């Protein structure tokens, strides 16, 4: 059950003579005793040490975490935005269904153009949404409007601005330009989608343009995964709620709840506010135990580190299973993953900057995957460094809050926020995203290309 460098699963097998399969770790003394109770040769993993999990290893571990299948349901197209598709969608018919005019003008048979010298007798008027016109007669053109079905036989449309029309001897005529190529200004049946095209896969999250495609094939009942029930719990004796609590010495308003609720709202979940839990083990155990019965996921912030007031790991090991990811990254050095029954618990750091970054990098992909979504890594844009880091501590990955500004030649330049404190909500507001410095980067010169993860690519709602 010890799963390798930087991660520890604190669920012990029953010891000889003992009946409690779990060992609760609250203090450094507990930790030492836990190490002693383990089999010889594995105890070093349990001691706080210099070995930390790399970012990539943490992502791989999260991706390998077994998760229950989300239930499926059906929703009307109007409610499908952002939902995760539960089955594939194939176009049952061509879109558009027939050849149509792309402009307002005159439809004709291209083969008649030269012999007729561009002059055609006008014989029909075709507006969008109407059908049933007979085939075009030889040497004739039809007045046609954008979106109208082309009359049989016609293959080309002249734009009305380029044409002259009139009446001669009681006969309406039109003169069209001789230069038009065959098929000009005509939309082919099936040019957007042909019948049988697979347009969406299970696991796709439905974007506005996907809804447009589903509408274009006339689909209204969409098979999706049910929204997950996600509970948000803030922990800390210092925390106050705006509107409920007056400021008090030692108090701090619970910013993380609103930060994380906003980030979670962009996932296919229904967020429940589980409130604030003080730094008491029994209270946390009660809160998590009750919440687990009614949620698929619980996200907590605070109380996850090594301090005596940090009870999350102990409570999770008592209620179920817990895995601690000590990460070689900055900020957000620790992530706690728990399982109570079928409920996943994700323990984020308390500092708002670390809470947001850990949510985006680790919690969000896990939530999406549990919701049935296919998760792809966010795009990294290469931008020019607008800063200089002459010497940098290697061996860990850093995510710096940065703003993008256009440089003199229009290339985007990443400026770092002036201060790096993990409690600075201002820095999150000023940033457009994160500059990512890999473990082996020893220095950054101004102007050097650096990878940038935009908040938009990380799923932060606008
Ligand atoms: N001896 C050590 N101390 C700390 C370490 C360490 O490695 N060794 N790591 C530091 C880092 S980095 C972080 S991040 C925090 C993580 O600790 P916790 O996850 O246990 O979080 P707390 O101690 O409860 O809170 C940290 C910080 O964040 C503030 N906070 C908490 N919740 C909220 C909230 N809902 N809204 C706004 N601010 C919140 C809290 O007041 C603290 O200031 O541990 C460091 N210590
Ligand atoms: O690394 Mo802590 O989790 O930055 O603020």
């Amino acid at each position: 059950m010890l799963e390798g460098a930087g991660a520890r699963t604190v669920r012990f097998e029953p010891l000889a003579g003992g009946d409690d399969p779990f060992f609760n770790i609250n203090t450094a003394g507990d930790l030492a005793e836990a190490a002693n109770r383990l089999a010889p040769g594995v105890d070093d993993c349990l001691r706080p040490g210099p070995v930390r999990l790399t970012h990539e290893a943490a992502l791989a571990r999260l991706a390998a975490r077994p998760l229950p299948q989300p239930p499926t349901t059906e929703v009307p197209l109007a409610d499908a935005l952002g939902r995760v598709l539960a089955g594939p969608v194939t176009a049952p018919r061509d879109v558009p269904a027939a050849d149509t005019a792309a402009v307002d003008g005159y439809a004709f048979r291209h083969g008649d153009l030269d012999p007729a010298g561009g002059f055609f007798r006008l014989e029909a008027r075709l507006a969008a949404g109407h059908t049933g016109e007979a085939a075009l007669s030889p040497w004739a053109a039809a007045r046609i409007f954008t979106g109208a079905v082309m009359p049989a036989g016609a293959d080309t449309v002249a734009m009305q601005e380029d044409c002259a029309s009139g009446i001669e001897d009681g006969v309406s005529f039109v003169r069209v330009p001789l230069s038009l190529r065959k098929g000009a200004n005509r939309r082919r049946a099936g040019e957007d989608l042909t019948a049988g095209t697979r347009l969406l896969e299970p696991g796709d999250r439905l974007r506005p343009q996907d809804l447009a495609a589903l509408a274009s094939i006339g689909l209204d009942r969409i098979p999706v995964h049910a929204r997950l029930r996600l509970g948000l719990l803030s922990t800390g004796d210092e925390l106050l709620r705006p509107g409920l609590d007056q400021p008090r010495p030692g108090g701090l308003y619970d910013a993380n709840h609103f930060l994380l609720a906003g980030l979670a709202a962009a996932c296919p979940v229904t967020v429940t506010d589980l409130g604030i839990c003080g730094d008491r083990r029994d209270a946390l155990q009660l809160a998590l135990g009750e919440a687990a019965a009614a949620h698929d996921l619980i996200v907590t912030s605070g109380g996850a580190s090594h301090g005596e007031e940090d009870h999350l790991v102990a409570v999770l090991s008592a209620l179920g299973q817990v895995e601690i990811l000590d990460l070689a990254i900055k900020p957000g050095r620790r992530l706690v993953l728990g399982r109570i029954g079928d409920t996943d618990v994700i323990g984020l750091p308390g500092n708002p900057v670390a809470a947001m970054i850990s949510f985006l990098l680790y919690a969000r992909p896990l939530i999406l995957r549990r919701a049935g979504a296919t998760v792809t890594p966010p795009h990294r844009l290469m931008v020019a460094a607008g800063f200089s880091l002459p010497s940098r501590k290697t061996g860990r990955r850093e995510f710096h809050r940065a703003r993008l500004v256009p440089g003199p030649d229009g290339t985007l330049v990443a400026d770092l926020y002036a201060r790096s404190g993990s409690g600075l909500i201002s820095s999150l507001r000023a940033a457009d995203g994160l500059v990512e410095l890999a473990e082996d980067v020893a220095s950054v010169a101004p102007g050097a290309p650096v990878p940038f993860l935009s908040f938009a690519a990380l799923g932060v709602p606008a």
Side-chain angles (χ1 to χ4, degrees):
M1 273 178 300
L2 291 179
E3 302 201 1
R8 288 165 268 148
T9 300
V10 191
R11 184 183 189 286
F12 300 157
E13 295 303 334
L15 297 171
D19 54 5
D20 180 5
F22 301 108
F23 189 87
N24 300 325
I25 300 175
N26 286 321
T27 64
D30 289 347
L31 195 62
E33 197 190 329
N36 289 336
R37 284 173 60 176
L38 283 167
V42 293
D43 55 351
D44 281 354
C45 294
L46 203 68
R47 298 181 195 284
V51 183
R52 289 176 173 267
L53 207 58
T54 63
H55 175 62
E56 292 302 334
L59 290 179
R61 187 171 294 256
L62 285 165
R65 188 173 168 85
L67 298 175
Q69 265 295 309
T72 61
T73 180
E74 239 184 31
V75 292
L77 182 59
D79 296 336
L81 184 63
R83 303 300 295 268
V84 180
L85 206 62
V89 177
T90 300
R93 62 181 70 89
D94 286 350
V95 179
D99 289 2
T100 54
V103 296
D104 296 325
Y106 300 89
F108 58 94
R109 192 179 284 105
H110 192 266
D112 292 346
L113 184 60
D114 276 337
F119 277 90
F120 290 100
R121 183 168 49 77
L122 262 178
E123 70 167 14
R125 187 177 188 281
L126 306 172
H130 302 275
T131 56
E133 296 302 327
L136 201 64
S137 314
W139 315 107
R143 181 81 171 109
I144 197 163
F145 297 93
T146 305
V149 174
M150 297 279 281
D155 52 24
T156 305
V157 181
M159 263 210 285
Q160 63 189 30
E161 296 89 317
D162 302 334
C163 300
S165 61
I167 301 179
E168 216 172 272
D169 300 333
V171 178
S172 297
F173 74 89
V174 63
R175 196 181 72 206
V176 308
L178 287 169
S179 54
L180 281 171
R181 58 174 175 78
K182 184 177 177 182
N185 301 317
R186 168 191 56 172
R187 288 203 182 120
R188 297 309 301 258
E191 74 171 24
D192 189 14
L193 290 173
T194 45
T197 305
R198 178 106 153 200
L199 60 147
L200 287 160
E201 298 295 332
D204 284 348
R205 285 199 70 198
L206 298 173
R207 306 164 299 166
Q209 56 269 48
D210 298 319
L211 300 193
L214 291 170
S216 79
I217 57 168
L219 210 65
D220 179 51
R221 306 296 305 173
I222 315 296
V224 297
H225 289 294
R227 277 185 199 282
L228 299 179
R229 301 158 302 164
L230 184 148
L232 265 184
L233 182 70
S234 303
T235 70
D237 277 344
E238 72 278 32
L239 298 181
L240 310 170
R241 268 298 170 83
L244 289 180
D245 301 308
Q246 292 300 317
R248 63 169 169 76
L252 178 83
Y253 280 107
D254 175 8
N256 287 353
H257 172 75
F258 298 90
L259 172 68
L260 298 170
L263 296 175
C267 299
V269 300
T270 309
V271 177
T272 314
D273 179 2
L274 301 175
I276 293 168
C277 185
D279 293 316
R280 288 210 1 245
R281 190 188 147 163
D282 53 353
L284 186 62
Q285 190 151 332
L286 192 67
L288 286 181
E290 279 185 0
H295 293 87
D296 305 299
L297 283 153
I298 300 171
V299 175
T300 69
S301 70
S305 61
H306 310 275
E308 285 164 20
E309 301 290 316
D310 297 325
H311 300 297
L312 182 66
V313 171
V315 163
L316 287 172
S317 67
L319 292 175
Q321 293 180 343
V322 61
E323 192 179 355
I324 304 165
L325 306 191
D326 281 324
L327 305 167
I329 75 156
K330 188 186 169 197
R333 281 186 289 181
R334 172 175 276 200
L335 186 73
V336 174
L337 291 177
R339 184 56 80 61
I340 306 172
D342 266 351
T343 303
D344 279 297
V345 183
I346 308 172
L348 303 176
N351 280 314
V353 174
M356 177 166 175
I357 293 176
S358 309
F359 182 92
L360 295 175
L361 296 178
Y362 306 118
R364 183 173 177 275
L366 186 72
I367 294 167
L368 288 177
R369 202 162 65 78
R370 176 136 188 188
T374 305
V375 178
T376 49
H379 288 302
R380 289 162 169 81
L381 304 174
M382 294 309 286
V383 300
F387 57 91
S388 153
L389 289 178
S391 87
R392 189 189 154 259
K393 181 177 163 186
T394 55
R396 70 178 181 196
R397 190 170 295 215
E398 291 175 356
F399 296 91
H400 294 268
R401 287 140 275 169
R403 189 180 58 169
L404 292 183
V405 289
D409 64 354
T411 306
L412 286 174
V413 173
D415 281 345
L416 297 193
Y417 195 71
R419 291 170 295 144
S420 66
S422 199
L424 301 172
I425 297 169
S426 314
S427 66
L428 298 171
R429 298 185 52 230
D432 298 313
L434 305 169
V435 164
E436 180 177 18
L437 299 180
E439 291 78 358
D440 58 349
V441 173
S443 65
V444 181
V450 285
F452 179 81
L453 288 160
S454 73
F455 280 154
L458 289 168
V460 180

